[in-house]
């Protein structure tokens, strides 16, 4: 057995060994050993692909992994034949080459299943192979390793994938768009959705996030009730409201807002985070409130929601409420289209969020705040930091009528030190996790490590700036509403 954490040494040792086997006429051993190295390399490429490729591509690959593993085993336990099947069916080599701009060269012409057959005949049927066959397999292996960066396999594979992320950031620097880079390989077909972006890596379970969401909830209470009142006035005293809160996390905002309203008959809260939904079920003991773990971006979202609606009497929702949720989606447009189908005619969608473009600060002598905001935009996996400016367009485009925008301004001028600190926490702390996730994902990427370290230090400085009574910070709260 080879130690799992030393792939480079494994590869070096193996190549020397295989060459020896060919030289000493042990051709079948050389083929079997070459296949073992192919396995190591394929598994490494797979591991890197599922953290680096676009959301849709990853979905395709994982689906095929599930199919081949029959739901009982994952790629780690796949044999050579299964790995080749996975790569062939998911076109993983092409996706990888496309993603990294690598030229596969002769490898493109290689039918890996012929190597699987040769290996199976040797292992299972006991046949011996020729020097020519062993040489071909060995040469293809060396070719693959050369393309990857043979001398430092682990490093090279990681680097070759992180190169893409750097490109994303560089493109952004010159005015490119991260959203467009994240588009899946469409094999020459016209782009159908330019707003498709990478899904955010946010988790509401992260340390301190519950506290931050509580602070945020308090800060946005005023605008929420202003909007609810506006809708209630417009809908002429409508009662028995059924509300769907999407991305409700542990239900704190859900309960805080809707338990106070006599007009509310039933509230369904949904979130992708099972842990948070379980917390909501355990803590909110009110018959009107129900919580479900649901991925709003899942292909079966409408079917799932239909069964939930049926379970609760079959009536569509009067309101759909989305507080700080749609900026995490890969495809907010599709989500808004789907949500519209769950709202009764004349019902409302209420979308709340913020936009880094409207946060201003002075003094910020070294542009720490400006840089922290700007860098967050570029981190692949961060939520859409410019989301609120898109609300009006997104709602109109997806068929909502009477779209209106509501705003609240908030600044530090009358805040005590505790409120100032809360404002800092709410606006900056979550950024840390995006940088941390990226630095951990790409340990060899110097720029990602430097930016992570820079942000850690910058956050300490920014926290102190907020405590200075002459410091000014202002942000805007945004809520958009639209009618079905
Ligand atoms: C920033 S939190 C907001 C929580 C709550 N609405 C609030 O205002 O405090 C965003 C929530 O959206 C959830 N979320 C993100 N993507 C989702 C998806 N595809 N389906 C369902 N929930 C999702 C996250 O799990 C998280 O709990």
């Amino acid at each position: 057995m080879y130690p799992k954490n030393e792939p480079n040494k494994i590869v070096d040792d193996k190549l020397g060994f295989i060459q020896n086997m060919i030289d000493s006429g042990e051709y079948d051993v050389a083929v079997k050993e070459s296949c073992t190295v192919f396995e190591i390399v394929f598994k490494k490429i797979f591991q890197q692909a599922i953290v680096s490729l676009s959301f849709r591509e990853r979905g395709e690959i994982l689906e095929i992994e599930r199919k081949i593993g029959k739901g009982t085993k994952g790629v780690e336990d796949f044999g050579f034949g299964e790995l080749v099947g996975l790569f062939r069916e998911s076109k993983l080599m092409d996706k990888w080459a496309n993603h990294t701009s690598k030229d596969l060269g002769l490898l493109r012409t290689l039918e890996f299943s012929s190597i699987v057959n040769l290996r199976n005949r040797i292992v299972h049927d006991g046949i011996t192979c020729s020097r020519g066959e062993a040489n071909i397999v060995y040469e293809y292996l060396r070719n693959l390793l050369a393309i990857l960066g043979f001398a430092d396999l682990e490093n090279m594979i990681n680097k070759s994938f992180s190169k893409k992320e750097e490109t994303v950031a560089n493109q952004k620097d010159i005015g490119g768009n991260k959203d467009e880079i994240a588009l899946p390989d469409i094999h020459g077909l016209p782009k159908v959705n330019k707003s498709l972006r990478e899904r955010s890596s946010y988790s509401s379970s992260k340390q301190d996030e519950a506290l931050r969401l509580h602070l945020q909830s308090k800060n946005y209470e005023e605008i929420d009730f202003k909007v609810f009142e506006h809708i209630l006035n417009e809908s002429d005293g409508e009662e028995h409201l059924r509300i769907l809160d999407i991305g409700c996390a542990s239900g704190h905002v859900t309960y805080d807002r809707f338990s106070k309203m006599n007009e509310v008959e039933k509230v369904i809260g949904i979130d992708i985070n099972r842990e948070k939904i379980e917390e909501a079920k355990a803590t909110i003991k009110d018959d009107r409130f129900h919580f479900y773990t649901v991925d709003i971006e899942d292909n079966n979202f409408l079917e799932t929601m239909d069964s939930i609606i049926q379970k609760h009497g079959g009536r569509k929702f009067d309101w759909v409420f989305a507080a700080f949720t749609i900026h995490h989606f890969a495809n907010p447009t599709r989500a808004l289209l789907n949500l519209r189908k769950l709202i009764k005619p004349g019902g409302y969608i209420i979308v709340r969020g913020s936009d880094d473009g409207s946060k201003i600060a002075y003094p910020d002598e070294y542009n720490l705040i400006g840089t922290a905001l700007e860098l967050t935009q570029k981190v692949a996996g961060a939520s859409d930091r410019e989301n609120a400016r898109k609300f009006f367009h997104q709602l109109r485009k997806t068929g909502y009528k009477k779209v209106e925008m509501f705003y609240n301004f908030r600044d530090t001028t009358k805040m005590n030190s505790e409120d100032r600190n809360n404002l800092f926490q709410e606006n900056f702390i979550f950024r840390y996790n995006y940088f941390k996730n990226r630095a951990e994902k790409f340990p060899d990427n110097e720029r990602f490590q430097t930016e992570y370290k820079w942000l850690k230090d910058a956050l300490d400085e920014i926290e102190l700036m907020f405590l200075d009574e002459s410091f000014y910070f202002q942000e805007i709260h945004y809520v958009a509403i639209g009618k079905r």
Side-chain angles (χ1 to χ4, degrees), residues 52 78 112 151 178 184 212 227 247 261 291 298 322 356 360 365 391 401 409-410 479:
S52 306
F78 278 10
F112 270 101
K178 186 168 93 178
R212 196 186 69 83
V227 171
M261 291 172 59
F291 295 94
D298 186 85
D356 277 355
I360 51 173
E365 204 183 342
F391 286 170
K401 292 180 288 206
F409 295 86
R410 211 152 163 266
V479 176

Side-chain angles (χ1 to χ4, degrees), residues 216 220 324 353-362 369-370 373 385 389 410 423 426-428 430-431 466 472-478:
Q216 190 169 262
Y220 282 77
F324 282 104
S354 69
D355 195 303
D356 277 355
S358 58
K359 296 180 199 293
I360 51 173
Y362 191 85
I369 291 184
L373 298 182
R385 307 306 318 148
R389 73 187 64 178
R410 211 152 163 266
L423 191 62
E426 190 196 322
N427 272 286
F428 290 95
F430 66 92
R431 295 172 203 273
F466 270 79
Y472 176 80
F473 181 83
Q474 187 230 268
E475 64 166 359
I476 303 178
H477 297 172
Y478 298 83

Side-chain angles (χ1 to χ4, degrees), residues 199-200 202-204 209 212-214 216-217 245-250 252-253 270-273 276 294-298 321-325 327-329 352:
R199 193 177 187 153
S200 103
Y202 172 85
S203 165
S204 34
E209 191 51 17
R212 196 186 69 83
L213 292 180
H214 278 52
Q216 190 169 262
S217 163
D245 183 5
I246 66 156
C248 64
S250 63
H252 174 76
V253 172
I270 57 171
D271 200 288
I272 194 172
N273 187 331
K276 288 286 144 185
V294 176
D295 177 357
I296 296 150
E297 298 214 275
D298 186 85
F321 179 62
F324 282 104
T325 299
H327 63 311
H328 293 297
F329 294 166
R352 161 147 73 70

